[in-house]
Amino acid sequence: MVFAQKRLLFCTTLFVSPVALCAADTLVVTAAPAETATTPTSGYNATTSQGAMKTDRPLALTAQAVSVVTRQQMEDQGATDVNQALSYTAGAFTNFAGAASRYDTVSLRGFHGGDVDNIFLDGLRLMSDPGSYNILQVDPWFLERIDVIKGPSSALYGQTVPGGLVMESSKRPQFSQQGHFRASAGNHNSTSTSFDYTDAINEQWAFRLTGLSRHSDTQYDHTREEKYALSPSLLWQPDEDTSLLLRAYLQKDPSGGYHGAVPGDGSITEHNGRKLSTGFYDGDSSLDQFKRREQIYSYEFAHRFNDTWAFRSNASYAHSNVDLDQVYQIGWDTADADRLNRYYSGSRSSLDAFALDNQLEADFATGELAHKVVLGAEYHQYKNDLYEASGNASQLNARTGEALGPQPDYDFSRSQRRYYQTGVYLQDEMSWQQWHLDLSGRYDRIVSQTENDATADKHRRQDDHLSGRAALLYAFANGVSPYVSYSQAITPQSLSDINGNLLQPTTSEQYETGVKYQPPGTSDLYSAAVYDLTQKDVGNRVVKESYYDPAGKVHSQGLELEAHHQWTPRLSTLASYTLNHVRYKDAVDGNDGHTPYVTPNSMASFWGKYQFAWGVSAGAGVRYIGKQWADNENTTRLPSVTLFDASVRADLGVWNPSLKGAFVQLNATNLTDRHYVAACYGTGYCYWGAERSVMATVGYDF
């Protein structure tokens, strides 16, 4: 502990964290504690992360590309979902679902894992079933930070998407009173209210209660979004070596909005002399629904026995029910240019999932070589009971919006999907002078089972897999840290082949080299990474029938640049650039050498915020998304698009002391209201990008 002692003639109040002690003639000020991955973030810069190593590690000394989105960045940019929160992150493409916000869809380094299978929460995989519509989602209002760990991470996490993972970190209880309230309104009749309050109960206990309500008509005709979420948490910390955190996340979506696509012929190009509108709705408003109820209960326990040994245990249980009925287009009718053929999918599903991660950590030295060794054991499982139906639906007159005939009756059938993953892993973080060497290895057993009551078909697959990671970094005294790394990943395929047989997991390996620069005495961070990533045994998803076709290998090479800089106390900037070269290799479907869809060839972004006088601050950003192919056959290409965002905030307490803590804020995304196709899953299924969104917020912080 560092402290200063000074005799004063009077008692002065100082806003110093965490402690300022004032006596009659003596002032003692303690230094702020060192930042960790679990302490609240400040500004746009984070200096540590747990996501890459499962231990607190300075980002500048982590031999892997890692990006962090802080709480302040989410607030300033007005992010209402994780996709928006990551839109200024190098290597992350979150725009491919367009204006749909039902799921968090993140593609990293050209890989998106069935859209939703790369999201983690508080150190554990968010236990969704990517082979169904039962997908869990956490609103960014409940998050303190989001760490994006790029590249294969199976050596620590087992099942992962090769491009990387998104680690969401929830807000934690604090031993000091904090309160936050927000009320917002915007276009598409969108409204929301949210609150967040934390305080100490006594010296050992603290609590936090966070809640949200959101309503919107969305940009699509005949659709609404409605969401309610609540998260209570309780922290017990009897001493500096022991802590137990209990947390719950409860969310109800009575209406999950729209998640549909339009044909490329009618969006990329004109069809029959015109394009479909960006609010085009191809469903049946009397039938369509998406209702989701999710519950996540978790604990985090940590205890340090002495200077050498420590133990951590994290676990979560999730339960989710989803009711879906959706009618959607499957292409133009060849006999009538105004008619769209449609298909129906219906699902009633109940998901129960459990995840556990136990870690034993040892800090010791062998001579001059320091070690931080982690021995861990993980277990994941889920059971998803499904009641589903599908079949052709009535046609739609796309010009008038009229359904042509009634919908037929559909026969529902029951099935069940089960998944089990057991893994043990060992990691050794070694350091000697300026050298840092990381070695890790893991063994996984992955079991997948499907059972269909209607056909009595049963399929089971078991895979045993070894994965590893090695990385070497040298930290120069001037803040420059070059590194090299090698890593592997295993990714079970969520769907079967056309015959119902479970496909073998894909395997991946990556070589990465890069450099990080953190100027001494600052939290600024500049990073550059070059990678070469290959995924084997890839399957392409057939959207309508929901199965995989074998595709071969995918080879991804790229460059990522990122800079977080605090120029002055008033000016902060974020900048990123991504160059991505993705190709099919040894393809079995005739697409050898082609680029997969949902992979822009380049991306760039810049965001700047300036604090003016009189409590006014303004932020402005630009996002560039390069060209991408609409189909794996590479017959149709989507043009690049440049989007602009902005925000302005006024702190009312600067103008009137009685309003201290109150503020008003205005956010706008896609400021110029650019109409564009965000991405396509083949030329038959393209997503319109989000229209201009304007949101006004009144807030109070205390």
Side-chain angles (χ1 to χ4, degrees), residues 570-607:
R570 293 179 178 269
L571 178 62
S572 305
T573 60
L574 308 168
S576 73
Y577 175 76
T578 304
L579 179 65
N580 198 20
H581 182 86
V582 186
R583 296 289 186 272
Y584 282 113
K585 189 176 179 181
D586 300 331
V588 298
D589 56 1
N591 291 322
D592 199 52
H594 292 179
T595 298
Y597 48 61
V598 195
T599 55
N601 58 4
S602 62
M603 296 183 292
S605 66
F606 177 84
W607 175 270

Short mmCIF file of all heavy atoms in Angstrom, two decimals, residues 570-607:
data_model
loop_
_atom_site.label_atom_id
_atom_site.label_comp_id
_atom_site.label_asym_id
_atom_site.label_seq_id
_atom_site.Cartn_x
_atom_site.Cartn_y
_atom_site.Cartn_z
N ARG A 570 -9.62 14.94 -22.55
CA ARG A 570 -10.88 15.22 -23.22
C ARG A 570 -11.12 14.37 -24.47
O ARG A 570 -12.26 14.21 -24.88
CB ARG A 570 -10.95 16.70 -23.60
CG ARG A 570 -11.03 17.67 -22.42
CD ARG A 570 -11.08 19.11 -22.92
NE ARG A 570 -11.20 20.06 -21.83
CZ ARG A 570 -12.34 20.51 -21.35
NH1 ARG A 570 -13.48 20.09 -21.88
NH2 ARG A 570 -12.36 21.37 -20.35
N LEU A 571 -10.08 13.86 -25.11
CA LEU A 571 -10.21 13.20 -26.41
C LEU A 571 -9.79 11.74 -26.34
O LEU A 571 -8.66 11.42 -25.96
CB LEU A 571 -9.36 13.92 -27.46
CG LEU A 571 -9.35 13.31 -28.86
CD1 LEU A 571 -10.75 13.31 -29.48
CD2 LEU A 571 -8.38 14.07 -29.77
N SER A 572 -10.73 10.83 -26.74
CA SER A 572 -10.48 9.40 -26.80
C SER A 572 -10.82 8.91 -28.21
O SER A 572 -11.80 9.37 -28.81
CB SER A 572 -11.32 8.63 -25.78
OG SER A 572 -11.13 9.11 -24.48
N THR A 573 -10.05 7.95 -28.72
CA THR A 573 -10.32 7.40 -30.04
C THR A 573 -10.14 5.88 -30.05
O THR A 573 -9.36 5.32 -29.27
CB THR A 573 -9.39 8.01 -31.11
OG1 THR A 573 -8.03 7.74 -30.79
CG2 THR A 573 -9.62 9.51 -31.24
N LEU A 574 -10.89 5.25 -30.95
CA LEU A 574 -10.78 3.83 -31.25
C LEU A 574 -10.63 3.70 -32.76
O LEU A 574 -11.36 4.33 -33.51
CB LEU A 574 -12.02 3.07 -30.80
CG LEU A 574 -12.50 3.23 -29.36
CD1 LEU A 574 -13.89 2.62 -29.21
CD2 LEU A 574 -11.53 2.57 -28.40
N ALA A 575 -9.72 2.84 -33.21
CA ALA A 575 -9.54 2.63 -34.63
C ALA A 575 -9.21 1.17 -34.88
O ALA A 575 -8.52 0.53 -34.08
CB ALA A 575 -8.43 3.53 -35.18
N SER A 576 -9.69 0.63 -36.01
CA SER A 576 -9.41 -0.76 -36.35
C SER A 576 -9.40 -0.93 -37.86
O SER A 576 -10.04 -0.17 -38.59
CB SER A 576 -10.44 -1.70 -35.73
OG SER A 576 -11.68 -1.61 -36.39
N TYR A 577 -8.66 -1.93 -38.30
CA TYR A 577 -8.63 -2.32 -39.71
C TYR A 577 -8.48 -3.83 -39.78
O TYR A 577 -7.68 -4.42 -39.04
CB TYR A 577 -7.48 -1.64 -40.46
CG TYR A 577 -7.36 -2.13 -41.90
CD1 TYR A 577 -8.25 -1.71 -42.87
CD2 TYR A 577 -6.36 -3.04 -42.26
CE1 TYR A 577 -8.16 -2.17 -44.17
CE2 TYR A 577 -6.26 -3.49 -43.56
CZ TYR A 577 -7.16 -3.06 -44.52
OH TYR A 577 -7.07 -3.53 -45.81
N THR A 578 -9.24 -4.46 -40.68
CA THR A 578 -9.21 -5.90 -40.85
C THR A 578 -9.09 -6.22 -42.33
O THR A 578 -9.85 -5.72 -43.15
CB THR A 578 -10.49 -6.55 -40.30
OG1 THR A 578 -10.67 -6.21 -38.92
CG2 THR A 578 -10.43 -8.07 -40.45
N LEU A 579 -8.14 -7.06 -42.68
CA LEU A 579 -7.99 -7.60 -44.03
C LEU A 579 -8.12 -9.10 -43.92
O LEU A 579 -7.36 -9.75 -43.19
CB LEU A 579 -6.64 -7.21 -44.63
CG LEU A 579 -6.35 -7.73 -46.05
CD1 LEU A 579 -7.31 -7.11 -47.05
CD2 LEU A 579 -4.90 -7.42 -46.45
N ASN A 580 -9.07 -9.69 -44.64
CA ASN A 580 -9.38 -11.10 -44.48
C ASN A 580 -9.46 -11.77 -45.85
O ASN A 580 -10.22 -11.34 -46.73
CB ASN A 580 -10.71 -11.26 -43.74
CG ASN A 580 -10.90 -12.63 -43.15
OD1 ASN A 580 -9.95 -13.37 -42.94
ND2 ASN A 580 -12.13 -13.00 -42.85
N HIS A 581 -8.68 -12.82 -46.02
CA HIS A 581 -8.64 -13.58 -47.26
C HIS A 581 -9.05 -15.01 -46.92
O HIS A 581 -8.27 -15.77 -46.33
CB HIS A 581 -7.23 -13.53 -47.86
CG HIS A 581 -7.11 -14.25 -49.17
ND1 HIS A 581 -7.39 -13.66 -50.38
CD2 HIS A 581 -6.70 -15.51 -49.48
CE1 HIS A 581 -7.18 -14.53 -51.36
NE2 HIS A 581 -6.76 -15.66 -50.83
N VAL A 582 -10.29 -15.40 -47.29
CA VAL A 582 -10.85 -16.70 -46.93
C VAL A 582 -11.18 -17.47 -48.21
O VAL A 582 -11.80 -16.92 -49.13
CB VAL A 582 -12.12 -16.55 -46.06
CG1 VAL A 582 -12.60 -17.91 -45.58
CG2 VAL A 582 -11.86 -15.63 -44.87
N ARG A 583 -10.77 -18.74 -48.25
CA ARG A 583 -11.02 -19.56 -49.43
C ARG A 583 -11.35 -20.98 -49.02
O ARG A 583 -10.84 -21.52 -48.03
CB ARG A 583 -9.77 -19.60 -50.33
CG ARG A 583 -9.38 -18.25 -50.94
CD ARG A 583 -10.35 -17.79 -51.99
NE ARG A 583 -9.91 -16.58 -52.66
CZ ARG A 583 -10.17 -15.34 -52.22
NH1 ARG A 583 -10.90 -15.17 -51.11
NH2 ARG A 583 -9.75 -14.30 -52.90
N TYR A 584 -12.25 -21.62 -49.81
CA TYR A 584 -12.43 -23.07 -49.70
C TYR A 584 -11.20 -23.76 -50.27
O TYR A 584 -10.62 -23.34 -51.28
CB TYR A 584 -13.67 -23.53 -50.46
CG TYR A 584 -14.96 -23.25 -49.74
CD1 TYR A 584 -15.87 -22.32 -50.25
CD2 TYR A 584 -15.29 -23.92 -48.57
CE1 TYR A 584 -17.06 -22.06 -49.60
CE2 TYR A 584 -16.48 -23.67 -47.91
CZ TYR A 584 -17.36 -22.74 -48.43
OH TYR A 584 -18.54 -22.48 -47.78
N LYS A 585 -10.82 -24.86 -49.62
CA LYS A 585 -9.64 -25.62 -50.03
C LYS A 585 -10.01 -27.10 -50.04
O LYS A 585 -10.67 -27.59 -49.13
CB LYS A 585 -8.49 -25.36 -49.04
CG LYS A 585 -7.16 -25.90 -49.46
CD LYS A 585 -6.09 -25.49 -48.44
CE LYS A 585 -4.74 -26.04 -48.81
NZ LYS A 585 -3.70 -25.65 -47.81
N ASP A 586 -9.61 -27.80 -51.08
CA ASP A 586 -9.97 -29.21 -51.24
C ASP A 586 -11.48 -29.40 -51.13
O ASP A 586 -11.97 -30.34 -50.49
CB ASP A 586 -9.25 -30.08 -50.19
CG ASP A 586 -7.73 -29.99 -50.29
OD1 ASP A 586 -7.23 -29.75 -51.40
OD2 ASP A 586 -7.06 -30.16 -49.25
N ALA A 587 -12.23 -28.50 -51.74
CA ALA A 587 -13.68 -28.52 -51.65
C ALA A 587 -14.24 -29.73 -52.39
O ALA A 587 -13.75 -30.13 -53.43
CB ALA A 587 -14.28 -27.24 -52.21
N VAL A 588 -15.33 -30.29 -51.84
CA VAL A 588 -15.96 -31.46 -52.43
C VAL A 588 -17.25 -31.09 -53.17
O VAL A 588 -17.91 -31.96 -53.72
CB VAL A 588 -16.27 -32.52 -51.35
CG1 VAL A 588 -14.99 -33.02 -50.70
CG2 VAL A 588 -17.23 -31.96 -50.29
N ASP A 589 -17.61 -29.79 -53.16
CA ASP A 589 -18.86 -29.36 -53.77
C ASP A 589 -18.65 -28.45 -54.98
O ASP A 589 -19.58 -27.75 -55.40
CB ASP A 589 -19.73 -28.64 -52.74
CG ASP A 589 -19.02 -27.46 -52.08
OD1 ASP A 589 -17.85 -27.18 -52.43
OD2 ASP A 589 -19.64 -26.82 -51.21
N GLY A 590 -17.43 -28.45 -55.53
CA GLY A 590 -17.16 -27.64 -56.70
C GLY A 590 -16.78 -26.21 -56.43
O GLY A 590 -16.63 -25.42 -57.37
N ASN A 591 -16.62 -25.83 -55.15
CA ASN A 591 -16.32 -24.45 -54.80
C ASN A 591 -14.87 -24.23 -54.39
O ASN A 591 -14.55 -23.26 -53.69
CB ASN A 591 -17.24 -23.98 -53.66
CG ASN A 591 -18.68 -23.85 -54.09
OD1 ASN A 591 -18.97 -23.42 -55.21
ND2 ASN A 591 -19.60 -24.25 -53.22
N ASP A 592 -13.98 -25.12 -54.83
CA ASP A 592 -12.57 -25.00 -54.49
C ASP A 592 -12.02 -23.64 -54.96
O ASP A 592 -12.20 -23.24 -56.11
CB ASP A 592 -11.76 -26.13 -55.13
CG ASP A 592 -10.42 -26.33 -54.45
OD1 ASP A 592 -10.40 -26.46 -53.23
OD2 ASP A 592 -9.39 -26.35 -55.14
N GLY A 593 -11.37 -22.93 -54.02
CA GLY A 593 -10.82 -21.62 -54.33
C GLY A 593 -11.79 -20.48 -54.19
O GLY A 593 -11.40 -19.31 -54.30
N HIS A 594 -13.07 -20.79 -53.93
CA HIS A 594 -14.07 -19.74 -53.76
C HIS A 594 -14.06 -19.20 -52.32
O HIS A 594 -13.58 -19.86 -51.39
CB HIS A 594 -15.47 -20.26 -54.08
CG HIS A 594 -15.67 -20.59 -55.52
ND1 HIS A 594 -16.86 -21.09 -56.01
CD2 HIS A 594 -14.86 -20.47 -56.59
CE1 HIS A 594 -16.75 -21.28 -57.31
NE2 HIS A 594 -15.55 -20.92 -57.68
N THR A 595 -14.63 -18.01 -52.18
CA THR A 595 -14.75 -17.39 -50.86
C THR A 595 -16.13 -17.70 -50.28
O THR A 595 -17.14 -17.49 -50.96
CB THR A 595 -14.57 -15.87 -50.96
OG1 THR A 595 -13.24 -15.59 -51.44
CG2 THR A 595 -14.75 -15.20 -49.62
N PRO A 596 -16.21 -18.19 -49.03
CA PRO A 596 -17.52 -18.43 -48.43
C PRO A 596 -18.30 -17.12 -48.25
O PRO A 596 -17.73 -16.03 -48.17
CB PRO A 596 -17.18 -19.04 -47.06
CG PRO A 596 -15.76 -19.49 -47.17
CD PRO A 596 -15.10 -18.57 -48.13
N TYR A 597 -19.65 -17.26 -48.22
CA TYR A 597 -20.44 -16.07 -47.92
C TYR A 597 -20.22 -15.62 -46.47
O TYR A 597 -19.61 -16.31 -45.66
CB TYR A 597 -21.93 -16.29 -48.22
CG TYR A 597 -22.54 -17.57 -47.66
CD1 TYR A 597 -22.58 -17.83 -46.31
CD2 TYR A 597 -23.13 -18.50 -48.51
CE1 TYR A 597 -23.18 -18.97 -45.80
CE2 TYR A 597 -23.74 -19.66 -48.01
CZ TYR A 597 -23.75 -19.88 -46.67
OH TYR A 597 -24.34 -21.02 -46.17
N VAL A 598 -20.69 -14.44 -46.16
CA VAL A 598 -20.57 -13.81 -44.82
C VAL A 598 -19.10 -13.58 -44.45
O VAL A 598 -18.69 -13.77 -43.31
CB VAL A 598 -21.29 -14.63 -43.73
CG1 VAL A 598 -21.46 -13.80 -42.47
CG2 VAL A 598 -22.67 -15.08 -44.19
N THR A 599 -18.27 -13.21 -45.42
CA THR A 599 -16.85 -12.93 -45.15
C THR A 599 -16.41 -11.72 -45.96
O THR A 599 -15.92 -11.85 -47.09
CB THR A 599 -15.95 -14.14 -45.49
OG1 THR A 599 -16.18 -14.54 -46.84
CG2 THR A 599 -16.22 -15.30 -44.56
N PRO A 600 -16.59 -10.50 -45.45
CA PRO A 600 -16.09 -9.31 -46.14
C PRO A 600 -14.58 -9.40 -46.31
O PRO A 600 -13.87 -9.89 -45.43
CB PRO A 600 -16.48 -8.16 -45.22
CG PRO A 600 -17.57 -8.70 -44.35
CD PRO A 600 -17.30 -10.17 -44.20
N ASN A 601 -14.09 -8.88 -47.44
CA ASN A 601 -12.65 -8.94 -47.68
C ASN A 601 -11.87 -7.96 -46.82
O ASN A 601 -10.67 -8.14 -46.60
CB ASN A 601 -12.34 -8.73 -49.17
CG ASN A 601 -12.87 -7.39 -49.68
OD1 ASN A 601 -13.42 -6.57 -48.94
ND2 ASN A 601 -12.70 -7.16 -50.98
N SER A 602 -12.53 -6.92 -46.33
CA SER A 602 -11.87 -5.97 -45.45
C SER A 602 -12.91 -5.20 -44.66
O SER A 602 -14.07 -5.08 -45.07
CB SER A 602 -10.98 -4.99 -46.24
OG SER A 602 -11.77 -4.22 -47.14
N MET A 603 -12.50 -4.68 -43.51
CA MET A 603 -13.34 -3.84 -42.68
C MET A 603 -12.46 -2.78 -42.01
O MET A 603 -11.27 -3.01 -41.77
CB MET A 603 -14.06 -4.66 -41.60
CG MET A 603 -15.06 -5.68 -42.14
SD MET A 603 -15.93 -6.57 -40.81
CE MET A 603 -14.58 -7.54 -40.11
N ALA A 604 -13.04 -1.64 -41.71
CA ALA A 604 -12.33 -0.58 -41.02
C ALA A 604 -13.33 0.23 -40.20
O ALA A 604 -14.51 0.33 -40.57
CB ALA A 604 -11.57 0.32 -42.00
N SER A 605 -12.86 0.80 -39.11
CA SER A 605 -13.73 1.61 -38.27
C SER A 605 -12.92 2.65 -37.52
O SER A 605 -11.72 2.47 -37.26
CB SER A 605 -14.51 0.74 -37.28
OG SER A 605 -13.65 0.14 -36.33
N PHE A 606 -13.59 3.73 -37.16
CA PHE A 606 -12.99 4.78 -36.33
C PHE A 606 -14.09 5.42 -35.50
O PHE A 606 -15.16 5.75 -36.00
CB PHE A 606 -12.31 5.85 -37.19
CG PHE A 606 -11.73 6.98 -36.38
CD1 PHE A 606 -10.48 6.87 -35.80
CD2 PHE A 606 -12.45 8.15 -36.17
CE1 PHE A 606 -9.95 7.90 -35.03
CE2 PHE A 606 -11.94 9.19 -35.41
CZ PHE A 606 -10.68 9.06 -34.85
N TRP A 607 -13.81 5.58 -34.22
CA TRP A 607 -14.72 6.28 -33.31
C TRP A 607 -13.92 7.25 -32.47
O TRP A 607 -12.87 6.89 -31.93
CB TRP A 607 -15.46 5.27 -32.41
CG TRP A 607 -16.31 5.92 -31.36
CD1 TRP A 607 -15.95 6.27 -30.09
CD2 TRP A 607 -17.68 6.32 -31.49
NE1 TRP A 607 -17.00 6.85 -29.43
CE2 TRP A 607 -18.08 6.89 -30.27
CE3 TRP A 607 -18.61 6.24 -32.54
CZ2 TRP A 607 -19.37 7.38 -30.06
CZ3 TRP A 607 -19.90 6.74 -32.33
CH2 TRP A 607 -20.26 7.29 -31.09
#
